[in-house]
Amino acid sequence: MGQTVTDAGLCGALQRWREMGEASREVFAALEPGARVGLISQAEMNQAPGARMVVWQAGPEGPTTALAPFAGFADAPADMVFLVPDEALDEVAAAGPDKGLGALEGPVRSGDAMLFYIAPKGDLLDAGYEEFMERLGFGFLGACR
Amino acid sequence: MDERKAGEKKLKHLFEPVKWGRFEIKNRVKYGACCVSNFNTRDGFITPRELARTKVIAETGAGIITNQGAYPDPLGEGKAYFSQVALFDDKFLPQFETIARYIHDNGGMAIQQILHAGRYGGIDLGYCIQPSVVPQTLPHFRPPREITKEQIRETIKQHADAAKRAIKAGFDGTEITSFMGYLLANFCSPFTNKRNDEYGGSVENRGRFMRELISEIKEAQGDDYMLVARLNGAELMDKWGGNSEDECLELMKMAGDAGIDMISVTVGWQEAPESSIGRDVPPGHWNRLAARAKKELPNVPIAFGVRLPDPVMANACIEKGDFDYWEVCRPLLADPQLLHKAAEDRLEETRRCIGSLNCLSRLFRDLPYTCTMNPALGHEVEPEYHITPAAVKKRIMIIGAGPAGMECAMAAKQRGHEVTVFDREDSIGGLLRGYAANDLANRDDMLSVVRHYEVMAKKLGIEVKLGVEVTPKLMRDLLHQFDVAIVAAGARNDENMRPKTADGGVLTDAYEVALGRIKPGKKVVVIGGGRIGLTLAESLTDQGHEAIIVESSKRVGNDVAPTWKWRHTSWIKELKIPVMTSTRVTRVTASSATVVNAEGEEKELAADMVIYAAPQKPNQEVFQALQWMVDEVHMIGDAMAPRGMTSAIHDGYRLGCRI
C-alpha cells in the first residue's frame, strides 16, 4: 500500500495538490492572475509560526502550486484558505486528482473542513472569487440559517 | 367577574401577568430584538421611518419590548449593519426617549439592547475586533484584529455608558447579546477565543468578559433596572471547536452567579454549518435547550423563542415550566397583530412567519429589512401603504386567486371596494399550492399562506368565483359590471424555449405534476433548474423517482433567495440528483430527452417523462385583451414579471392600498 497523505503530511504530498490544481483549471480561470487560494491541515497549522501551507496561485497559464510559510491567519499568504483536519486529508486526496478542488466541497459542507476568507469582500469580488466559489459549488455570501 | 378575553383564557399561561423585580409585566411575551432594521442614518441616528416602525412594535401587546440593538462605541467597531442605531453619545437620546415612551404608553416594559457585533462588526471600518484572529467564514464580514486588554476595558466601559444612557432615556432595563456570534459570544467561544491571558483558555476565563460586562452594567444602571443576557444554548459551532452544549450551560450558570436578571436562550451563529431558524427546522426543535437551562437555573427567568412561532406551543411550554417568557420577533414581524388575535381567539386569521429569511437576506445585502408576509413592514411611515377608506368606491375584478390577487383583494375590500376574484382553478392559492405540496422543508408553512387567504376571503366577504376562466367572451358578458380589472393570473411558460417533440414525445407542465394532476414517470428529466424545477426534482427523488435536472445557464437556483440557495444545493447532494448545467434539451421523445452541452456534445437521456419547468414570461395577453373593455386595468405579481411569492404579495398589497 502506498504512502497516504496523512503519512506524508500536507507538505509532503505537494504533487497531489499540484494535480488537484491542474484539474481545477476551469475553476481557477474565474480568478484574476495573482489570486491565491490556500490549503492547510490542522496539524500543520499547529506548527505556526513555523508552518507551511499549500498555495494555488491563478495565472494566465493556469494555477501554479507551491508551499508558502504560514505564520498565522493575520498574515496568511492567500485570499482564502481551506483548513482541513488531518483525518479528512486522505479523503480529499483519495477523491482523485481529477476532481480537483471539488474534492473539498464535501468536507466543507459536512463541517469537517473550514473555509476562511482572509481578504476583504471588495478585494475578493474584484479578484473573481464570487464566480470561483460558485464554480466550486458554494454560494459566495454563504448562509444565515 | 373574569374580564379576560376568550383567547387569554385559552392561553392563560402566556397571558398571565407576572412580577419581575419591581416590574409588573402584563403577560409572558418578550418582543425580541432579533433583527436590526437598517432604517436609520449611516451615523447612527434614529429616523422617522424607524420611529413609525417601532410604534407598531410597541403596539404588538408584548409585555416586554426589546428595542433593536444599538452599538456602543464611537468608532463603530461594534457596528454590524450599515444603518444600525448608535448609543455612544447623549446626542442620540431624544429618539430613544420617544421609543421608550411608545412602549410605556402601550403598557409594555422597555428594554434596550446594546449590540457590539465583535466578529460581525466594523462594517464601515474594513476590520472587526475579536478575542483572537480567526478569519471569517462568511465573506460579508470584515477581516479580524485581536482586541487588546486596554480595548477590552474600554469596550466594557462603553457598554456600561450606553446602558446608563438607555436608562436615562426612560428604558426599564438593558440587554447584552451573544446571539448569532457577536462580541460576547466571541469571548465565550473557544472557536474565536484562543487567548492565553486571563480572558482565554478555560471556560472560567472565557466567561470573564461576560462577568465583567454584567458587573459594570449593573453598577452603572443601578439596582432598580434590569439586565438581560442573550446566551447561546447551543452555538452549533462545536464541530469547528466552539462550545459544547454543556459549556454553554456552564456559561449561563456563570451569568446567573454574576447577577443577571434574565437569560434569553438562543441558538446558533450566523456562520454555523447547520440551520437554526430556517423553515427546514421543525417548530419546537430547540425547546429542549430552554428546558435544560430552566432546570439548571430555576431562579433565573428564562426567555426563549428560537424557531417557536406558535403562541399555542409557547403557552404549553410555559405551563410545562420549560421557560418563563416567550421571546418572539419574526412571527410579530409577519403579523404585528398576532398577540391581539391570540388574545381574542382569532388565531386562524394570523399571517404566519414562513421562515423564508427574506429579512436576513436583505440585511446581508446592506438593505433595509422587509418581510415576505408583511408587505407594510418598513413602510409604516408612508400613508400610501396604509389601508384607509377609498375616496371612490369601485367594483373590482381580480383575475387570479394566487398570493398577488388575494393580497390585492384583501386590501381593496378593507378599503370599501366591491371585490370579486376569478380563478380558473377550483381552489384559492394559485401555483403556490403546487410549490407547497413539494417543498421538502416544511410544507405546512407554505400551505398556511393559502389557508390564510381562504379564511380572510370568508371573513372579509370577498366573492371568489372558482373554476371560472376569464376569457374575452366572459368579459363581453361582464362588460360594464366592473370599474377595474386586475390581472394577477401568474406567469406563462415561455413557448419559445420549449424543445421539439417527436415520436410521441410530450412535454409535461411542472405544475400539472406538482399539483398531482399528472402522475410522474419513473425516470424524469426536469428542464429548468430554477426554484420550481429544483423543488419538483427534489420532491420526486424523495418519493423514489429518478430525476435529472437540465439547466441551460451555468448554474441552478438563479431565482432562489440567497439564504435558501445552500438548502437546495445540499438537498441535491443528499438526494444525489444529477444536474447538467450549460445544457439544453433539444428533442423529446416518448422514451428520451436529447441534450446538448456548451461544447456542442449531444447525449440522449432515458426518460419516460420530460417536465418543463423552464423560465417563464409575463402574461400580457390577458392585459391586452382587457385594456379596451374596462376603465382601469392593472397587472401585478408574476403576471407582470415573474419574480416569486414575495413580490407577488407586495405587489398585490400595494395596489390594493392605492386603487
Side-chain angles (χ1 to χ4, degrees):
Chain A
M1 217 171 114
Q3 195 186 35
T4 66
V5 174
T6 307
D7 297 333
L10 177 85
C11 302
L14 186 61
Q15 185 53 32
R16 288 204 198 189
W17 309 128
R18 187 169 284 130
E19 288 164 359
M20 193 180 246
E22 279 297 317
S24 300
R25 272 175 173 270
E26 197 201 326
V27 178
F28 275 98
L31 294 177
E32 290 293 315
R36 293 173 301 172
V37 177
L39 172 72
I40 191 163
S41 67
Q42 189 68 52
E44 191 66 32
M45 195 179 78
N46 293 343
Q47 307 291 321
R52 288 183 300 170
M53 70 191 296
V54 175
V55 176
W56 291 287
Q57 181 163 335
E61 309 297 321
T64 58
T65 310
L67 294 174
F70 176 84
F73 281 115
D75 303 307
D79 307 313
M80 54 176 280
V81 175
F82 290 94
L83 169 61
V84 182
D86 309 309
E87 56 274 19
L89 268 183
D90 274 329
E91 183 196 331
V92 172
D98 57 316
K99 219 172 167 202
L101 267 67
L104 290 159
E105 190 194 344
V108 170
R109 275 193 191 287
S110 67
D112 291 333
M114 294 193 67
L115 173 56
F116 286 124
Y117 293 94
I118 308 297
K121 183 165 83 172
D123 295 355
L124 291 166
L125 287 169
D126 290 346
Y129 278 99
E130 186 168 24
E131 175 68 18
F132 176 83
M133 293 301 290
E134 293 269 1
R135 288 185 189 185
L136 270 184
F138 298 104
F140 177 67
L141 276 179
C144 180
R145 293 148 175 168
Chain B
M1 193 180 138
D2 189 348
E3 290 179 346
R4 287 179 301 168
K5 295 172 187 160
E8 290 174 334
K9 287 181 195 165
K10 272 190 181 172
L11 305 177
K12 63 180 182 185
H13 303 283
L14 191 67
F15 286 108
E16 173 189 48
V18 61
K19 198 162 164 46
W20 181 33
R22 68 182 174 93
F23 297 96
E24 300 279 352
I25 316 292
K26 65 181 174 185
N27 55 40
R28 289 178 177 271
V29 183
K30 177 177 183 281
Y31 177 87
C34 74
C35 268
V36 164
S37 64
N38 257 346
F39 292 164
N40 302 291
T41 68
R42 287 296 304 279
D43 52 357
F45 283 97
I46 292 169
T47 59
R49 185 183 188 186
E50 181 69 51
L51 289 175
R53 169 76 201 136
T54 312
K55 194 161 184 294
V56 171
I57 292 171
E59 289 166 356
T60 53
I64 304 172
I65 305 251
T66 322
N67 190 37
Q68 67 177 274
Y71 63 95
D73 63 307
L75 196 53
E77 285 173 335
K79 182 178 175 183
Y81 303 94
F82 258 42
S83 301
Q84 190 180 341
V85 297
L87 196 42
F88 58 80
D89 193 285
D90 282 355
K91 67 185 179 185
F92 299 110
L93 283 184
Q95 287 80 17
F96 281 95
E97 286 168 3
T98 305
I99 289 173
R101 196 175 66 242
Y102 283 163
I103 297 170
H104 290 149
D105 285 351
N106 286 281
M109 177 186 179
I111 299 285
Q112 176 59 49
Q113 186 182 84
I114 299 156
L115 192 171
H116 190 302
R119 177 170 172 77
Y120 304 149
I123 198 81
D124 294 331
L125 299 177
Y127 72 91
C128 69
I129 54 166
Q130 49 180 333
S132 310
V133 172
V134 175
Q136 302 291 358
T137 65
L138 298 177
H140 178 73
F141 300 116
R142 306 301 185 244
R145 287 184 189 171
E146 184 172 307
I147 187 170
T148 65
K149 275 200 202 177
E150 196 185 344
Q151 286 173 313
I152 292 175
R153 281 189 289 276
E154 180 62 18
T155 302
I156 290 172
K157 185 178 180 307
Q158 286 163 346
H159 276 77
D161 289 346
K164 207 170 171 179
R165 220 165 264 127
I167 301 300
K168 195 171 162 185
F171 283 83
D172 305 307
T174 57
E175 177 175 281
I176 49 176
T177 179
S178 70
F179 188 39
M180 290 285 175
Y182 298 133
L183 184 66
L184 177 53
N186 303 154
F187 270 97
C188 291
S189 178
F191 171 62
T192 37
N193 186 345
K194 301 182 184 303
R195 298 175 77 94
N196 298 316
D197 60 12
E198 67 270 33
Y199 289 98
S202 63
V203 181
E204 177 74 13
N205 277 358
R206 298 201 306 274
R208 187 179 306 278
F209 176 76
M210 175 180 71
R211 294 195 304 275
E212 291 180 358
L213 207 52
I214 292 171
S215 167
E216 288 214 22
I217 291 176
K218 282 188 76 75
E219 195 181 326
Q221 64 184 31
D223 291 340
D224 280 350
Y225 299 94
M226 296 304 198
L227 177 60
V228 182
R230 302 202 84 186
L231 296 174
N232 276 122
E235 289 178 352
L236 309 182
M237 299 288 285
D238 39 333
K239 216 166 190 178
W240 295 349
N243 280 315
S244 65
E245 288 183 17
D246 286 345
E247 288 171 307
C248 288
L249 193 63
E250 209 172 321
L251 286 154
M252 283 189 221
K253 285 181 185 166
M254 215 180 275
D257 293 342
I260 201 75
D261 297 305
M262 180 187 285
I263 292 175
S264 163
V265 178
T266 68
V267 183
W269 283 27
Q270 307 257 30
E271 59 202 291
E274 58 180 297
S275 292
S276 56
I277 58 174
R279 72 171 198 274
D280 52 333
V281 177
H285 181 74
W286 304 111
N287 292 1
R288 64 179 177 81
L289 294 170
R292 191 176 176 205
K294 186 68 225 172
K295 194 176 166 197
E296 298 285 336
L297 291 111
N299 299 320
V300 178
I302 300 291
F304 183 75
V306 180
R307 195 57 180 135
L308 178 51
D310 179 8
V312 177
M313 192 188 273
N315 182 68
C317 288
I318 293 170
E319 183 181 10
K320 263 200 302 173
D322 287 351
F323 50 80
D324 303 291
Y325 294 88
W326 181 35
E327 177 126 16
V328 56
C329 176
R330 289 183 302 146
L332 284 172
L333 302 188
D335 192 341
Q337 291 295 308
L338 170 65
L339 295 175
H340 300 296
K341 289 173 182 172
E344 290 158 17
D345 201 16
R346 296 189 288 124
L347 273 175
E348 74 281 4
E349 293 178 24
T350 305
R351 273 179 188 271
R352 184 155 124 190
C353 168
I354 57 167
S356 70
L357 301 185
N358 177 66
C359 40
L360 293 168
S361 291
R362 302 254 313 173
L363 293 179
F364 271 88
R365 291 322 195 256
D366 301 323
L367 293 168
Y369 74 170
T370 57
C371 174
T372 295
M373 294 307 298
N374 179 2
L377 187 147
H379 298 287
E380 291 84 354
V381 75
E382 300 170 61
E384 296 84 354
Y385 279 80
H386 294 186
I387 293 180
T388 52
V392 179
K393 304 282 189 277
K394 296 176 182 174
R395 295 165 301 168
I396 300 174
M397 70 177 300
I398 297 176
I399 302 152
M406 292 309 296
E407 290 289 341
C408 188
M410 282 155 44
K413 181 71 182 179
Q414 288 176 81
R415 295 183 58 228
H417 293 304
E418 265 179 47
V419 180
T420 308
V421 180
F422 295 83
D423 199 295
R424 65 179 175 185
E425 300 291 338
D426 57 6
S427 56
I428 286 175
L431 303 176
L432 180 58
R433 276 188 183 277
Y435 185 82
N438 291 278
D439 177 27
L440 288 194
N442 187 337
R443 286 169 189 177
D444 197 55
D445 271 337
M446 289 297 170
L447 286 173
S448 75
V449 182
V450 179
R451 285 199 300 270
H452 178 70
Y453 296 143
E454 289 170 340
V455 167
M456 295 313 293
K458 275 189 193 147
K459 294 222 172 191
L460 295 171
I462 297 167
E463 189 177 8
V464 182
K465 295 193 171 182
L466 298 170
V468 180
E469 181 156 16
V470 176
T471 59
K473 181 181 180 316
L474 179 72
M475 282 309 300
R476 282 193 295 277
D477 293 344
L478 297 177
L479 209 57
H480 306 307
Q481 288 185 27
F482 294 98
D483 306 307
V484 183
I486 296 167
V487 181
R492 302 184 54 174
N493 283 331
D494 189 344
E495 298 300 320
N496 295 328
M497 303 287 283
R498 289 168 80 93
K500 286 180 197 158
T501 52
D503 301 334
V506 175
L507 269 177
T508 305
D509 191 287
Y511 286 108
E512 297 297 315
V513 180
L515 289 164
R517 291 198 285 236
I518 293 180
K519 200 174 164 219
K522 180 68 192 151
K523 286 173 94 72
V524 173
V525 169
V526 177
I527 303 176
R531 61 176 166 257
I532 298 166
L534 288 168
T535 303
L536 193 53
E538 289 154 5
S539 174
L540 291 175
T541 306
D542 193 48
Q543 293 167 46
H545 302 270
E546 290 174 41
I548 298 176
I549 296 171
V550 181
E551 166 60 42
S552 58
S553 67
K554 283 197 285 188
R555 271 175 287 284
V556 295
N558 291 322
D559 58 353
V560 175
T563 45
W564 203 240
K565 238 178 189 178
W566 73 274
R567 187 64 271 184
H568 282 299
T569 46
S570 287
W571 277 326
I572 285 171
K573 298 275 171 201
E574 285 164 27
L575 295 164
K576 299 186 171 60
I577 300 172
V579 176
M580 304 174 86
T581 53
S582 301
T583 302
R584 289 178 300 112
V585 175
T586 54
R587 187 167 177 267
V588 173
T589 70
S591 58
S592 70
T594 306
V595 297
V596 179
N597 67 14
E599 282 75 45
E601 295 159 348
E602 200 172 271
K603 192 175 174 184
E604 196 165 313
L605 306 172
D608 53 13
M609 178 177 272
V610 179
I611 296 175
Y612 190 67
Q616 298 192 302
K617 66 172 195 174
N619 205 341
Q620 288 178 328
E621 287 78 357
V622 184
F623 179 89
Q624 282 156 357
L626 294 179
Q627 65 179 338
W628 296 103
M629 301 176 91
V630 186
D631 182 16
E632 262 184 69
V633 186
H634 302 273
M635 283 182 90
I636 50 175
D638 282 359
M640 185 165 71
R643 292 151 296 160
M645 189 167 78
T646 301
S647 296
I649 288 175
H650 289 217
D651 276 6
Y653 177 82
R654 211 161 32 226
L655 183 62
C657 286
R658 292 168 195 192
I659 204 157

